Each structure stands twice: as structure tokens, then as C-alpha cells.
Amino acid sequence: MNFDFSDEHLLLEQTVREWGARDVAPRIKDLDRAHTFDPRILPQMAELGLLGVCIPAEYGGAGMDYVSLGIASEALEYVDTSLRVIVSVHVGLNSLSLLTWGSEEQKRKYLVPQAQGRLIATFGLTEPAAGSDVRGIQTVAVQRGDRYYLTGEKMWISLADVADTFLVVAWTDLDKKKARDTSGLSAFIVERAFKGFSSGTLKEKWGILAGNTGYFKMDEIEVPAANMLGRPGEGFKIAMFALDQGRYTVAAGATGLIRACRDASATYAKERRAFGVEIAQHQLVKQMIAEMESDYQVSRLLWMRSGWLKNEGRRNTRETGLAKWYATVASEKAAGNAVQIHGANGYSDDYPVGRFYRNCKGAVIYEGTREVHTLMQADYVLGYRTDRPTRCELPPYAASST
Ligand SMILES: Cc1cc2nc3c(=O)[nH]c(=O)nc-3n(C[C@H](O)[C@H](O)[C@H](O)COP(=O)(O)OP(=O)(O)OC[C@H]3O[C@@H](n4cnc5c(N)ncnc54)[C@H](O)[C@@H]3O)c2cc1C
């Protein structure tokens, strides 16, 4: 075992940290308060190679390993959750699915420009009436000749009003839809430019305010059969595969949020005085900071293990789920305690911890709710759940691809 990051990893971490501190951190409070997503962030992230960080160079990416994706996610969420969400949907959920399940033609047409940041991508599974219960989605894709016609609505989609391409899951077998048999689901690459596509931003959201979250509607949009990802009936498997990658970025991101809570709390606790001493001297305040530190370290080890398994080309659904569940729940506790340590000042936007508190909650809901992950982990232990091999697996990291 080797827990050390390579020089390349450390350089990536430093690059993201310096960019975030210089170009985003000074503006994030205003962006957040104004509920504004700044699209100029995307070309900057592309310039840094973050939009294709672990995509092989032959497909336009930076050719780094999967641990690098975790490092970038942690460093981005240290600044703001909205930055990490971009990497989660664009790289984790979408691009890695194309890399693994896509045809060579699909990779050339979509993956290469995505990895270079010329196309922005996201993932559309959730619908107004179905989130955890994927079988409950209503979007249908009807085949006529060499086209599919997709009709439905996707809701709570990160970058819905920004992205150019969408990985969409829809029913292609209507009998199986009735029977709730997931082998009737298929996955499609949908372009914003397709006729009948429309999108909007959710305005009432109260967290991740500097991020774009929205909906998109598909009104009989015409999708070439060549845009089906994988084979007919593989949509559910592809969606679950995508979540293995997305959850990894969420786990590492939540780890960054815990670190941000820890650092802000430690700084404040040494500035603020109560009862004649710095509040850091009070044991109950120390306890909250100590728990942030232990949760940070545990969360970090958990996502690092997932990254290592991905590099090795080994299945990691169980480990990644655990990392995501643990880190997100811990980040909610850390953010609550960070506000607590700041007292009334924590209840104001003058300090960042209120933003951390609002931002952390989303990750306890998306990419498998806390309850879904609780059940999954219990089922692994109880032997009710095992992971079966799928036709396509995430390619192991090959150092030669750099
Ligand atoms: C900020 C944000 C960004 C998002 N981005 C995306 C995105 O980019 N793409 C996308 O496809 N989706 C996205 N989502 C949607 C997200 O994945 C769903 O919200 C999530 O899957 C939960 O679904 P739901 O909201 O419909 O809740 P429901 O599934 O209706 O669950 C409601 C509650 O019931 C509980 N529950 C449900 N079933 C069970 C069960 N069997 N046992 C115990 N408890 C249960 C849940 O844990 C939860 O507490 C996003 C959500 C948010 C908040």
C-alpha cells in the first residue's frame, strides 16, 4: 500500500487550490447570494484540464488517473460545492460512461469535445415523479426506422440549463415499463440542439446557489439510433455504472467540504473569545473540531480506496457507495457544527459556514439518498446484495495514456 500522492497529484491539487483561491473564492459569496451560475468558470476549468482530468489523452483528456478525479473534486468543493458538481456530472456521470460504454464514433463525436471542454455534459435520470425509484420514470423512446423519438421530462438536473449534451435514460420497451422490468430501459446521448428540446432553471432552490440546477423537457425529440449508448435494454446498467463514478466525486467533494468546515472553525475558534479565553480553549468546541478532523481523515481514506480500485480496474460499487454515504452524512454534521462554533455569526452570510450548511444537504439526497445507501450497505453485509459483472467495465488506469 502507498498512501502518498505522486508529484503529478500534488501539482494538480496545488493548481486547483490556487485557481480556486484566486479566481473563485473572492467572488463566491456574491455569486451565491445572487443565485448566479457564472458560465465563465467553465472555460477556466477546461483550461486547467479539469473537464477531462481522467479521460485518456487519445480522447482529448488530461490522461490522469482516477485518484486525480478525487483530488480535483475534493479541492473544488473546498471552495464551493457548485464547482465540484460540474465535475461530477460532466466527468463522473457522463464522460466516464461514454468512455466505458460508447462506440468509437460516439467517443470521437462527443467524448473528445467534452474532455476538451468544448461541449458541456450532464446526466438526466431523475423526473418529477421518480428519483430513488428509477423504475418509476415515465420518459419513453419509441423507435421508427433509424430514429428514436423521446418524450418526457427530467427534473433536478445539474447544469440542465447550461449543458450541450445529456445522457438520458428512457423506456424503450413499453411492456417492460408496465412490468417495471429495468431491462426495458435504454440510454441515449441527447443534444440540446435536437428539435423539441427545452430546459429551464429551478429558481426556488436554497442550496448550491452558485450552481445551475434545472429541468429539461423532450417533446418527441428525434434522436438518431446511433446515439443510443450501449445496447437496447442496457440503460439501467449504464445509469448504475454512471452513479459509481458520480458518487466517487461526491464522496471526495464532501470530504473537501468537511475540510473547509474544519479550517473555518479552527480559525474562528482562535479569534473569538468567551469567558476570558479563545473559544478554542473550551473542551466542547474542541470536540466538534476533533470530530471534523476524524471525519475528514476517514472520508479521505474511503474515497482514496475507491480511486485506487478504479485505477486497478476492480469493481467498486460497494466501496464507492460507502465512501459517498459516509462522507456526505459526515459533511452535514461538520457543517452544522461549523455554524455552531461560529455562533450567531455562523447564522449570517458574513462567514462561509452558512453556505457550507446549505450546500452540504444536496449530497445527502442526490446520487442515492442517505436511506438508499444505508439499505445498500446493510444488504451487502447481509448477503442480500452482490455486484454482478457488467458487459463493460471502467477501463483501468494505464499510465501510458498520459
Ligand atoms: C441539488 C441537486 C442536484 C441534482 N442533480 C441531479 C442530476 O444532475 N441528475 C439527476 O438525474 N438527478 C439529480 N438530482 C436528483 C436526485 O438524484 C434525486 O433527488 C434523488 O435521487 C432522490 O430522489 P427524490 O428527490 O425523488 O426523492 P424520493 O425518491 O422521492 O425520496 C424521498 C424520501 O424517501 C426516502 N425513500 C425513498 N425510497 C425509500 C426506500 N426504499 N427506503 C427508505 N427510504 C426511502 C428517500 O431516502 C427520501 O428521504 C439532483 C438533486 C438535487 C437536490
Side-chain angles (χ1 to χ4, degrees), residues 89 122-126 130-132 156-158 208 213 365-367 369 371 375:
V89 296
T122 189
F123 176 74
L125 182 63
T126 307
S132 311
W156 284 105
I157 306 304
S158 306
I208 322 180
T213 315
I365 296 170
Y366 50 66
E367 306 220 23
T369 64
E371 291 68 38
L375 297 174

Side-chain angles (χ1 to χ4, degrees), residues 188-199:
F188 295 89
I189 302 167
V190 167
E191 294 182 26
R192 173 179 294 282
F194 289 163
K195 192 162 164 281
F197 183 98
S198 59
S199 72

